[in-house]
Amino acid sequence: MFNYSARNVAGLSLIDGHLREELNGAVAASSKLFPVMVQFKAGCLTSGVQHLESITNNHAHCQVNRSFPRFSLQGGNLTAVALEDLCYNCSDVKKVYLDRTFSVCLDTATETTRANVLQEERDETGKGEGVTVAILDTGVHPSPDLMESEERITGFQDFINGREEPYDDNGHGTHCAGCAAGNGHQSDGEYKAPAPKANIVGVKVLDRMGAGSLSNIIAGVDWCIENQEAYDIRILSLSLGSPAMDPEDDDPVVQAVDQAWDEGMVVCVAAGNEGPNEGTIASPGISQKVITVGALDEQGTPDRSDVDVADFSSRGPTIDGHTKPDLLAPGVDITAIRAPDAFLDQMERAKHINDDYISMSGTSMATPICAGVCAQLLELNSEWTPDEVKERLREGAEDLGLESNTQGEGLLDAVASDNDDDDDASDNEDDAKDNGDDTQ
């Protein structure tokens, strides 16, 4: 009965690609539970949840759990037989998704993006002051680079362990926060990010091993939307992803980040680390709205003449055939703050840079660097909408002469993105270039 039912359900159009694969590969055990997110049609959430609860009551071991009314989603654990019952007998269902796993976009800076030039041009401004970046990741360690001489971790929400104080048991999220907003306090300014005065809100959606469920990612985005005004969140940075198997319109995490964008928050998302093959852009980077960031290899210097795309950086087109990424930012051997004794800190001891920093590579690093530049731009141009920020970044990017599905518009350039007239930027560039901080 189970094998027959699983194959039948896997063939239904209501089942997303990830869940279809799980059903097709399932072993013959009628009690096997599949973690799912059920999306109901517009206006049908209440009746749909009632029907789902009735089905779970009629099938052993099944249950409902987390609900997201903003996205008309209800989570649950269902057997294949219960899924078949739901798909055939509940007309309110729009789609059923596997509550799949997302993971950090980790493959194992500041001068290159000219963020330091923008800082120098604007003296005391252009450092992200007053702008809050939410890092949806493994957490944030309260490093002195984020807490001295001013406490800039202004909020923390933990969807993994429910802890209230900022922490990071993996280290990835801390490094990302450092890439966006570290002020170099422990290095006399040597490892300073594009937005060293920006505020950070840590949203822990990934566990100690750097993995998290679809429902956790959606919960994190939903929390940011709900608390946007309370924490004045202007930017979301998501250095995470999952293979894209369904079109963006059928991807619930894409729907979530698109909603955040529509609510006025700039969203920066990692392209993924499945390059150099084509068609490898991860979800939610397949969204046409958000800023999808690929990784640049700086070749160990801030000289923009010898840069190239990182081999691991995912390439477009997206599953829908759209060009991605939108642009490239540094993502190879990026030095930023450590989370002492966290999982990556223990596993990557060879990459420690003195007692306070660690070097990492991935589109995970490129994404918060881009988010930091966005914080710079929003401090200087607070009225800009997410669409305007994205447009300016794309227009200001330096064409590296690579294929568009490899580089997008090219290399991120903070100065060109801020200035209406490139000539204005070049007037000050020569003087500022010699006084900038070292690349992260």
Side-chain angles (χ1 to χ4, degrees), residues 158 263 405 420 433:
D158 181 4
E263 295 288 339
N405 276 307
D420 290 317
K433 185 181 297 182

Side-chain angles (χ1 to χ4, degrees), residues 170-251:
N170 174 273
H172 185 269
T174 298
H175 196 273
C176 289
C179 288
N183 65 8
H185 179 83
Q186 301 169 102
S187 61
D188 294 326
E190 181 177 2
Y191 302 121
K192 184 164 67 174
K197 290 190 175 181
N199 294 324
I200 291 292
V201 168
V203 184
K204 185 172 174 60
V205 295
L206 304 175
D207 62 19
R208 182 176 180 270
M209 304 304 292
S213 64
L214 168 68
S215 54
N216 278 341
I217 310 306
I218 292 176
V221 176
D222 190 50
W223 183 89
C224 288
I225 296 173
E226 189 68 25
N227 292 275
Q228 178 182 5
E229 292 187 9
Y231 294 98
D232 196 22
I233 300 172
R234 298 294 307 274
I235 302 164
L236 306 187
S237 181
L238 293 88
S239 293
L240 49 82
S242 177
M245 295 184 63
D246 292 292
E248 61 177 308
D249 289 344
D250 279 341
D251 190 322

Side-chain angles (χ1 to χ4, degrees), residues 292-359:
T292 304
V293 188
L296 185 81
D297 188 345
E298 304 169 279
Q299 310 295 331
T301 75
D303 185 352
R304 295 166 69 93
S305 66
D306 64 352
V307 298
D308 197 4
V309 65
D311 188 61
F312 58 76
S313 186
S314 288
R315 273 70 160 173
T318 69
I319 194 170
D320 296 287
H322 302 300
T323 300
K324 284 282 183 173
D326 292 295
L327 46 81
L328 302 176
V332 176
D333 295 331
I334 304 300
T335 299
I337 51 182
R338 289 171 49 200
D341 300 322
F343 178 76
L344 288 178
D345 192 57
Q346 295 176 346
M347 296 297 293
E348 302 288 352
R349 295 187 184 278
K351 296 184 178 180
H352 288 190
I353 309 295
N354 64 49
D355 293 333
D356 305 306
Y357 299 91
I358 189 170
S359 174

